[in-house]
Amino acid sequence: MGIAKLSLSLLALAGSIVAADLQPIEAKGSKFFYKNGTQFYMYGVAYQKEVGAGGGTISRRADAKKSYVDPLADEQACKRDVPLLKELGTNVIRTYAIDPKADHTACMKLLQDAGIYVVSDLSEPDNSINRDKAQWDTKLFSRYTAVIDELSKYSNVIGFFAGNEVSNAKNNTNASAFVKAAVRDTKAYIKNNKNINRWIGVGYAANDDKDIRAEIADYFNCNSVEDSIDFWGYNIYSWCGQSSMQKSGYDQQVKFFEKYSVPVFFAEYGCNNNGAKERIWQETGALYSDDMTGVFSGGIVYMYYQEANDYGLVKVDGDKATKLKDFDPLKKEVTKAKPKTLNMADYKPSGKMNECPKLTDNWQANSALPPTPDQKLCDCMAKSRSCVPKSDLSSKKFGDVFGFICKASPESCVGINANATTGVYGAYSMCDDRSKLAYVLDAYYTSQKKAKDACDFEGSAQLASANSDSSCSGALASASDVNKKAATATGPVGGGAAKPTGTGDSFAVHGAPVARLFSVGDFAVGLYMLVALGVGAGMVAL
């Protein structure tokens, strides 16, 4: 009898847990829907202490282990903040960086119980696609997939941003090729992941730059569905105080995106020209009005925390959270919002994918994309080299070696170069920097007919026994062929298309954009060579 009662109690408990799960969100055409078919609009708030611009750089204390605080790993903070988010009418938060090794169970449960979903960026400040030295490599791919593995466990996760304002002006648009490659590969990873059995989207959050706003929106939604974003986030701050659809330019945004084929929403909004305390949130009323809901699926207010940038809704001091002057006006506008909804079964999408933008002075990203990071291929290549970096060589010294070799023997660097404008990519341009260095060292050593003094570099390199693993031979031969073509190519070579990557090892098939010797977009060659161009022939005795 006791066992029967215990079984019934456990079943009741299990039922309550299942019942508490929020309905997964999915996309159809340019709309979001609950699983039951009701249209979903975002009433969002950015929820993370300032971590720096997603596409730029950030400074931090030398003794700091991380340059960010994971907002979903602090149960006490979530207990303090989630009730206030719920009071605002929030149904989505955006996080900019989470620690995939942390435990998020408590915060995700609190959010779920409050009816709040999550959209999270995949990068973190010290490991992201940097607009000034863009690359998409095995280290980044590992970070992105780790975040997906961790957050996809929760039904209240809508999706991820592969980048945030990475290309933010016409002089760094080549970086978008690397972000779009990240979109392609993370989408394929989700699709082929046996542990994920529902829709989870991958998108991009762009700033509103007049020189590239049309090109970048077209670029991320052109060519094929497999390579393109599942949703488009727009960081826009053009409606300030008392304004209008026309004065703010919102009417033009509606017009531009009216035929877009995926959901569009404001990934950040909330102009603070006169300080956060003066925000009246008139734009929130517009966002959920008939003027905009035919095209936009809501938005995410920037931001919850009050910090030096003065965008906060709440001031946090220890365990105490105090609502600021702009909190109640936002709450009022969200409460008033009653956007019209569609039923998914009745909705007939009419949007179409865009044409990829042509290369111009304002747009320098080729539609051919970088290769998919392939750790197995990089490992095979590194093991097959005879001249390699010493195991204890600091990454701070990589630049000297890259700088000397790529200047003295440009052909030795072809295999690691990446040029997002021409679409020429070396087969190993997606490897981590130490693997790239092994390739360059060995290529130079070979070009010098394996002279004894050609593998030293003031003690940075050493000779090793090359491992000729038969399982690697086919992939290495294919990579060699790509690099031969890249050496003389003026059009797309060596990039990749979406391939099933699942959760295991793979040899990716390469074939899209990279390699000008001094390309600022490539970290290993671009950054290291800019640092090391002055290195003289004293690096190695020839």
Side-chain angles (χ1 to χ4, degrees):
M1 185 70 175
I3 294 176
K5 285 184 177 179
L6 177 60
S7 298
L8 288 171
S9 297
L10 290 172
L11 285 170
L13 176 61
S16 66
I17 293 173
V18 172
D21 282 353
L22 291 174
Q23 292 187 54
I25 302 301
E26 54 190 63
K28 179 182 179 181
S30 62
K31 315 292 182 188
F32 288 119
F33 294 91
Y34 292 98
K35 189 69 175 179
N36 68 5
T38 303
Q39 189 175 355
F40 175 83
Y41 289 96
M42 290 186 175
Y43 298 91
V45 175
Y47 181 65
Q48 184 148 14
K49 292 181 179 179
E50 184 69 20
V51 295
T57 57
I58 183 171
S59 60
R60 59 172 170 143
R61 300 193 325 273
D63 62 342
K65 292 183 179 179
K66 290 201 306 286
S67 55
Y68 65 95
V69 175
D70 184 342
L72 301 180
D74 187 339
E75 182 177 358
Q76 294 307 310
C78 289
K79 286 180 176 178
R80 177 195 66 208
D81 298 334
V82 169
L84 290 174
L85 289 165
K86 185 176 181 179
E87 183 183 342
L88 275 171
T90 305
N91 69 357
V92 173
I93 61 168
R94 177 182 178 184
T95 59
Y96 292 83
I98 68 105
D99 180 358
K101 296 180 180 179
D103 183 3
H104 302 100
T105 306
C107 283
M108 294 302 292
K109 180 66 164 58
L110 288 165
L111 290 165
Q112 180 161 249
D113 290 347
I116 298 174
Y117 294 84
V118 175
V119 177
S120 185
D121 290 44
L122 289 167
S123 63
E124 53 105 344
D126 292 333
N127 195 10
S128 61
I129 301 174
N130 192 302
R131 66 177 69 96
D132 298 319
K133 45 185 181 288
Q135 62 176 354
W136 174 235
D137 63 8
T138 53
K139 181 182 177 183
L140 266 170
F141 192 32
S142 178
R143 157 73 194 184
Y144 278 35
T145 55
V147 174
I148 292 169
D149 288 343
E150 170 57 21
L151 290 186
S152 63
K153 298 183 295 187
Y154 304 101
S155 64
N156 56 330
V157 171
I158 296 174
F160 305 99
F161 286 117
N164 179 67
E165 298 188 11
V166 180
S167 293
N168 65 352
K170 62 183 181 180
N171 65 345
N172 54 39
T173 56
N174 63 325
S176 285
F178 299 93
V179 183
K180 192 171 181 183
V183 171
R184 174 199 65 204
D185 295 335
T186 50
K187 285 181 62 169
Y189 181 82
I190 290 170
K191 181 179 180 181
N192 294 287
N193 192 319
K194 295 179 181 179
N195 296 319
I196 301 175
N197 55 14
R198 62 186 177 88
W199 183 88
I200 298 178
V202 180
Y204 178 73
N207 71 314
D208 182 34
D209 183 271
K210 61 181 178 61
D211 291 330
I212 63 170
R213 63 164 67 112
E215 288 87 349
I216 197 167
D218 289 347
Y219 184 77
F220 277 92
N221 191 35
C222 72
N223 262 359
S224 70
V225 172
E226 291 77 15
D227 292 354
S228 300
I229 41 103
D230 294 315
F231 51 76
W232 182 253
Y234 207 34
N235 300 341
I236 184 168
Y237 294 85
S238 62
W239 189 308
C240 300
Q242 293 283 349
S243 191
S244 66
M245 291 288 294
Q246 292 71 33
K247 184 178 179 181
S248 66
Y250 276 27
D251 61 332
Q252 295 304 307
Q253 304 300 340
V254 171
K255 184 177 180 180
F256 178 81
F257 286 105
E258 63 183 353
K259 297 297 183 182
Y260 216 60
S261 63
V262 298
V264 181
F265 57 91
F266 288 174
E268 290 177 7
Y269 78 98
C271 173
N272 73 339
N273 276 2
N274 296 313
K277 65 180 181 180
E278 299 301 324
R279 296 196 289 188
I280 60 175
W281 302 110
Q282 192 182 56
E283 67 267 47
T284 300
L287 184 57
Y288 300 101
S289 72
D290 291 349
D291 288 335
M292 298 192 70
T293 53
V295 174
F296 284 86
S297 295
I300 299 171
V301 165
Y302 190 83
M303 63 173 300
Y304 182 81
Y305 289 100
Q306 173 68 344
E307 295 190 296
N309 59 9
D310 194 21
Y311 279 93
L313 296 162
V314 172
K315 182 178 181 180
V316 173
D317 185 7
D319 294 332
K320 184 180 179 182
T322 304
K323 292 184 283 187
L324 298 179
K325 188 178 178 181
D326 58 340
F327 185 99
D328 284 333
L330 177 61
K331 175 183 173 181
K332 181 180 178 181
E333 289 297 330
V334 170
T335 302
K336 287 194 308 182
K338 297 291 187 291
K340 294 177 181 177
T341 60
L342 297 171
N343 185 280
M344 184 163 59
D346 299 328
Y347 170 55
K348 302 294 188 292
S350 60
K352 296 181 180 179
M353 296 191 72
N354 300 48
E355 289 187 12
C356 293
K358 296 179 180 179
L359 295 175
T360 65
D361 290 342
N362 281 14
W363 191 258
Q364 290 290 298
N366 200 299
S367 59
L369 302 179
T372 298
D374 188 339
Q375 187 64 59
K376 188 175 181 181
L377 177 60
C378 296
D379 291 344
C380 282
M381 178 272 289
K383 289 188 297 183
S384 69
R385 305 297 105 168
S386 298
C387 181
V388 299
K390 284 190 173 179
S391 58
D392 60 351
L393 181 65
S394 169
S395 60
K396 294 179 181 178
K397 295 184 178 181
F398 288 6
D400 291 346
V401 184
F402 277 123
F404 174 82
I405 293 177
C406 294
K407 183 178 181 181
S409 176
E411 63 276 8
S412 297
C413 295
V414 168
I416 67 165
N417 286 348
N419 189 320
T421 300
T422 61
V424 179
Y425 294 92
Y428 303 117
S429 61
M430 51 72 198
C431 294
D432 65 275
D433 295 329
R434 185 171 289 273
S435 295
K436 288 178 179 177
L437 189 57
Y439 174 83
V440 168
L441 283 167
D442 191 70
Y444 180 79
Y445 176 61
T446 301
S447 75
Q448 299 302 307
K449 299 181 180 179
K450 298 187 177 183
K452 290 182 179 180
D453 55 1
C455 184
D456 181 57
F457 293 89
E458 295 183 346
S460 296
Q462 64 185 8
L463 292 174
S465 297
N467 186 331
S468 55
D469 188 336
S470 59
S471 67
C472 295
S473 58
L476 291 174
S478 295
S480 178
D481 184 57
V482 167
N483 291 337
K484 288 177 182 177
K485 293 176 181 176
T488 57
T490 57
V493 168
K499 299 290 179 183
T501 55
T503 55
D505 295 333
S506 67
F507 285 115
V509 178
H510 305 300
V514 164
R516 191 163 47 200
L517 177 60
F518 297 96
S519 173
V520 177
D522 182 78
F523 180 77
V525 180
L527 179 62
Y528 288 143
M529 287 191 64
L530 288 173
V531 172
L533 276 175
V535 177
M539 282 295 299
V540 60
L542 299 178

Coordinates of all heavy atoms in Angstrom, one line a residue, residues 438-470:
A438 N 52.4 24.9 -36.8 CA 53.0 23.7 -37.2 C 53.1 23.6 -38.7 O 54.1 23.1 -39.3 CB 52.3 22.5 -36.6
Y439 N 52.0 23.9 -39.3 CA 51.9 23.9 -40.8 C 52.9 24.8 -41.4 O 53.7 24.4 -42.3 CB 50.5 24.2 -41.3 CG 50.4 24.3 -42.8 CD1 50.3 23.2 -43.5 CD2 50.6 25.5 -43.4 CE1 50.2 23.2 -44.9 CE2 50.6 25.6 -44.8 CZ 50.4 24.5 -45.6 OH 50.4 24.5 -46.9
V440 N 53.0 26.0 -40.9 CA 53.9 27.0 -41.5 C 55.3 26.7 -41.3 O 56.2 26.8 -42.2 CB 53.5 28.4 -40.9 CG1 54.6 29.4 -41.2 CG2 52.2 28.9 -41.4
L441 N 55.7 26.2 -40.0 CA 57.0 25.8 -39.8 C 57.5 24.7 -40.7 O 58.6 24.8 -41.2 CB 57.2 25.4 -38.3 CG 57.2 26.5 -37.2 CD1 57.0 25.9 -35.8 CD2 58.5 27.2 -37.3
D442 N 56.7 23.7 -40.8 CA 57.1 22.6 -41.7 C 57.1 22.9 -43.1 O 58.0 22.5 -43.9 CB 56.1 21.4 -41.5 CG 56.6 20.1 -42.1 OD1 57.5 19.6 -41.5 OD2 56.0 19.7 -43.1
A443 N 56.2 23.8 -43.6 CA 56.3 24.2 -45.0 C 57.5 25.0 -45.3 O 58.2 24.8 -46.3 CB 55.0 25.1 -45.3
Y444 N 57.9 25.8 -44.3 CA 59.2 26.6 -44.5 C 60.4 25.7 -44.5 O 61.3 25.8 -45.3 CB 59.3 27.7 -43.4 CG 60.5 28.5 -43.5 CD1 60.7 29.5 -44.5 CD2 61.7 28.2 -42.7 CE1 61.8 30.2 -44.6 CE2 62.8 28.9 -42.9 CZ 62.9 30.0 -43.8 OH 64.1 30.7 -43.9
Y445 N 60.4 24.8 -43.5 CA 61.5 23.8 -43.4 C 61.6 23.0 -44.7 O 62.7 22.8 -45.2 CB 61.1 22.9 -42.2 CG 62.1 21.7 -41.9 CD1 63.4 22.0 -41.7 CD2 61.6 20.4 -42.0 CE1 64.3 20.9 -41.4 CE2 62.5 19.4 -41.7 CZ 63.9 19.6 -41.4 OH 64.7 18.6 -41.2
T446 N 60.5 22.6 -45.3 CA 60.6 21.8 -46.5 C 61.1 22.7 -47.7 O 61.9 22.2 -48.5 CB 59.2 21.3 -46.8 OG1 58.7 20.4 -45.8 CG2 59.2 20.5 -48.1
S447 N 60.6 24.0 -47.7 CA 61.1 24.9 -48.8 C 62.6 25.1 -48.7 O 63.2 25.5 -49.7 CB 60.3 26.2 -48.7 OG 60.8 27.0 -47.6
Q448 N 63.2 24.9 -47.5 CA 64.6 25.1 -47.3 C 65.4 23.8 -47.4 O 66.5 23.7 -47.0 CB 64.9 25.8 -46.0 CG 64.3 27.1 -45.8 CD 64.7 28.1 -46.8 OE1 65.9 28.3 -47.0 NE2 63.8 28.8 -47.5
K449 N 64.7 22.8 -48.1 CA 65.3 21.5 -48.3 C 65.7 20.8 -47.0 O 66.7 20.1 -47.0 CB 66.4 21.6 -49.3 CG 66.0 22.2 -50.7 CD 67.2 22.3 -51.6 CE 66.7 22.8 -53.0 NZ 67.8 23.0 -54.0
K450 N 64.9 21.1 -46.0 CA 65.1 20.5 -44.7 C 66.5 20.7 -44.1 O 67.1 19.8 -43.5 CB 64.8 19.0 -44.7 CG 63.3 18.8 -45.1 CD 62.9 17.3 -45.0 CE 61.4 17.2 -45.3 NZ 60.9 15.8 -45.2
A451 N 67.1 21.9 -44.3 CA 68.4 22.2 -43.7 C 68.2 22.2 -42.2 O 67.2 22.6 -41.6 CB 68.8 23.6 -44.2
K452 N 69.3 21.7 -41.5 CA 69.2 21.6 -40.1 C 68.9 22.9 -39.4 O 68.2 22.9 -38.4 CB 70.6 21.0 -39.6 CG 70.9 19.6 -40.0 CD 72.2 19.2 -39.4 CE 72.5 17.7 -39.8 NZ 73.8 17.3 -39.2
D453 N 69.4 24.0 -39.9 CA 69.2 25.3 -39.2 C 67.9 25.9 -39.6 O 67.6 27.1 -39.3 CB 70.4 26.2 -39.4 CG 70.7 26.4 -40.9 OD1 70.0 25.8 -41.7 OD2 71.6 27.1 -41.2
A454 N 67.0 25.3 -40.4 CA 65.8 25.9 -40.9 C 64.6 25.5 -40.0 O 63.5 25.8 -40.2 CB 65.5 25.4 -42.3
C455 N 64.9 24.8 -38.9 CA 63.8 24.4 -37.9 C 64.4 24.7 -36.5 O 64.6 23.8 -35.7 CB 63.4 23.0 -38.1 SG 62.0 22.5 -37.0
D456 N 64.5 26.0 -36.2 CA 65.0 26.4 -34.9 C 64.3 27.6 -34.4 O 63.7 27.6 -33.4 CB 66.5 26.6 -35.0 CG 67.0 27.0 -33.6 OD1 66.8 26.2 -32.7 OD2 67.6 28.1 -33.5
F457 N 64.4 28.7 -35.1 CA 63.8 30.0 -34.8 C 64.0 30.4 -33.3 O 63.1 30.5 -32.5 CB 62.3 29.9 -35.1 CG 62.0 29.8 -36.6 CD1 61.9 28.6 -37.2 CD2 61.9 31.0 -37.4 CE1 61.7 28.5 -38.6 CE2 61.6 30.9 -38.7 CZ 61.6 29.6 -39.3
E458 N 65.3 30.4 -33.0 CA 65.8 30.8 -31.7 C 65.2 30.0 -30.6 O 64.7 30.4 -29.6 CB 65.5 32.3 -31.4 CG 66.2 33.3 -32.3 CD 66.0 34.7 -32.0 OE1 65.0 35.0 -31.3 OE2 66.7 35.6 -32.5
G459 N 65.1 28.7 -30.9 CA 64.6 27.7 -29.9 C 63.1 27.6 -29.9 O 62.6 26.9 -29.0
S460 N 62.4 28.2 -30.8 CA 60.9 28.1 -30.8 C 60.4 26.8 -31.5 O 59.3 26.4 -31.2 CB 60.3 29.3 -31.6 OG 60.6 30.5 -30.9
A461 N 61.2 26.2 -32.3 CA 60.8 25.1 -33.1 C 61.7 23.9 -32.8 O 62.8 24.0 -32.4 CB 60.7 25.4 -34.6
Q462 N 61.2 22.7 -33.2 CA 62.0 21.5 -33.0 C 61.6 20.5 -34.1 O 60.5 20.5 -34.6 CB 61.8 20.9 -31.6 CG 60.4 20.5 -31.4 CD 60.2 20.0 -29.9 OE1 61.0 20.1 -29.1 NE2 59.0 19.4 -29.7
L463 N 62.5 19.5 -34.4 CA 62.2 18.4 -35.3 C 61.4 17.4 -34.5 O 61.6 17.1 -33.3 CB 63.5 17.9 -35.9 CG 64.2 18.8 -36.8 CD1 65.5 18.1 -37.2 CD2 63.4 19.1 -38.1
A464 N 60.5 16.7 -35.2 CA 59.7 15.7 -34.6 C 59.5 14.5 -35.6 O 59.7 14.7 -36.8 CB 58.3 16.2 -34.2
S465 N 59.2 13.4 -35.1 CA 58.9 12.2 -36.0 C 57.5 12.4 -36.6 O 56.5 12.4 -35.8 CB 59.0 10.9 -35.2 OG 60.3 10.7 -34.7
A466 N 57.4 12.5 -37.9 CA 56.0 12.7 -38.5 C 55.2 11.4 -38.4 O 55.8 10.3 -38.6 CB 56.2 13.1 -40.0
N467 N 54.0 11.6 -38.0 CA 53.1 10.4 -37.8 C 52.3 10.2 -39.1 O 51.4 11.1 -39.4 CB 52.2 10.6 -36.6 CG 51.3 9.4 -36.3 OD1 51.0 8.7 -37.2 ND2 50.9 9.3 -35.0
S468 N 52.5 9.2 -39.8 CA 51.8 8.9 -41.1 C 50.6 8.0 -40.8 O 50.6 6.8 -41.3 CB 52.7 8.4 -42.2 OG 53.4 7.2 -41.7
D469 N 49.6 8.5 -40.1 CA 48.4 7.7 -39.8 C 47.6 7.5 -41.1 O 47.2 8.4 -41.8 CB 47.6 8.5 -38.8 CG 46.4 7.7 -38.3 OD1 46.0 6.7 -39.0 OD2 45.9 8.0 -37.2
S470 N 47.4 6.2 -41.5 CA 46.7 5.9 -42.7 C 45.3 6.4 -42.8 O 44.8 6.7 -43.8 CB 46.7 4.4 -42.9 OG 46.0 3.7 -41.8

